Amino acid sequence: MTVTEVSSELDLQALCASHGGLTVVLLWAPWHEPSVHLTKVLEVMAAEQRSVRFGRANTDVCPALSTSLGANQVPFVAFFDPRGKKIDSLAGADPPKLVQKVNNSKLRSLINASPVMLFMKGSKVEPFCGFSKKAVALLNKHEAEYATFDILQDDEVRQGLKEYSNWKTYPQLYINGKLVGGLDIMQEMDEDGSLAASLPKPAAGEEDLNARLKKLVNSAPVMLFMKGNKETPFCGFSKTAVALLNSHNIDYQTFDILKDEEVRQGLKDYANWKTYPQLYVNGELLGGLDIIKEMEEDGSLLAAIPDSAKGKAVSARDRAAAPAARTGNSRRPRRSSPSALTGPSCARTETSSGAASE
């Protein structure tokens, strides 16, 4: 990822809304050497932290932004959630503290990605250990709407969350941003009835729509919600998504959001993803066009598709070779990859490259 130039409030809001995670913006001045150095630190961090978006604003160009953010000096770093709300700040040139704050804010953003978040090994569809499997079963038993994060996909999150929450084992359950505990705590709460009581309940009128949306996203192993259909896409973004799936001979179904406004608007809140197209695999949101492109480039797209939806034209040998050929190591873990964070409520939106439609 690169550092985005920010020159106005609109640029800032667009950057925050371009994805579902943490956004970090540096206010700097070209005449101030420590802040110039911090722009270089930011570039290094942007290359390493793919789940975080970084921006920089020249205070000589946009002094109004400094005023609105409460910056009375340069350098000044502001941290934002996906809604564009400032959640933290750092004044002065302190690279080690900046790295620490980014990591902590990143974890806080992940914890709050959904009202109910389960950090586990694997996903709710494929738990990779007995403890995670039991935690998923408990939440499913209460028909909870929850998102999951696969700690096996990001060792930085896996180790950092242990210190951040002072809880050394997994799975870890968070409700409304607060740590509930691990499997033992969940089991105790299930026995005394407090687990069901602590899970958020859908508002009146939302339950029927959510049930319908859940049924739709699970109506095929691979579902693409788009403008138009695979034969006649009605926008360039949808057309590109269809072309990518077709190029790998993937068996998928589509839903035309232009024909159902309730689904079009409801799915944005259900998945907390505000743009189209949206790709779902086994009922889980994979992402939008930018995510599909990234996964296609690094070879992980086919790996995320269930075997039942992989066309005959793509052999097992081809599928096994694809990730290795593109990444050099088919077992390389994804760092905070979009596929690590799954669930109908997880907060993710398109990147700022423009690959979004709505």
Side-chain angles (χ1 to χ4, degrees), residues 152-153 298-299 303 320-325 327-335:
L152 299 179
Q153 301 283 351
D298 68 19
T327 66
N329 183 354
S330 61
R331 296 181 64 84
R332 176 178 64 84
R334 292 173 62 84
R335 294 172 58 83

Side-chain angles (χ1 to χ4, degrees), residues 298-313:
D298 68 19
S300 60
L301 179 59
L302 277 177
I305 303 299
D307 289 339
S308 61
K310 292 176 180 176
K312 295 180 180 179

Side-chain angles (χ1 to χ4, degrees), residues 253-279:
Q253 299 298 318
T254 63
F255 185 95
D256 184 358
I257 59 168
L258 298 178
K259 293 184 177 181
D260 194 319
E261 188 66 17
E262 184 180 49
V263 170
R264 180 178 185 175
Q265 300 304 327
L267 201 58
K268 294 178 183 180
D269 294 326
Y270 178 84
N272 202 6
W273 191 285
K274 305 305 181 184
T275 59
Y276 291 96
Q278 295 181 13
L279 182 65

Side-chain angles (χ1 to χ4, degrees), residues 192-228:
D192 65 22
S194 59
L195 179 61
S198 65
L199 292 170
K201 303 296 187 297
E206 290 182 359
E207 194 165 3
D208 290 343
L209 177 58
N210 284 341
R212 183 188 175 204
L213 295 174
K214 184 175 182 179
K215 184 177 179 179
L216 279 173
V217 299
N218 284 279
S219 58
V222 181
M223 276 293 299
L224 182 68
F225 290 79
M226 58 179 287
K227 294 181 179 179

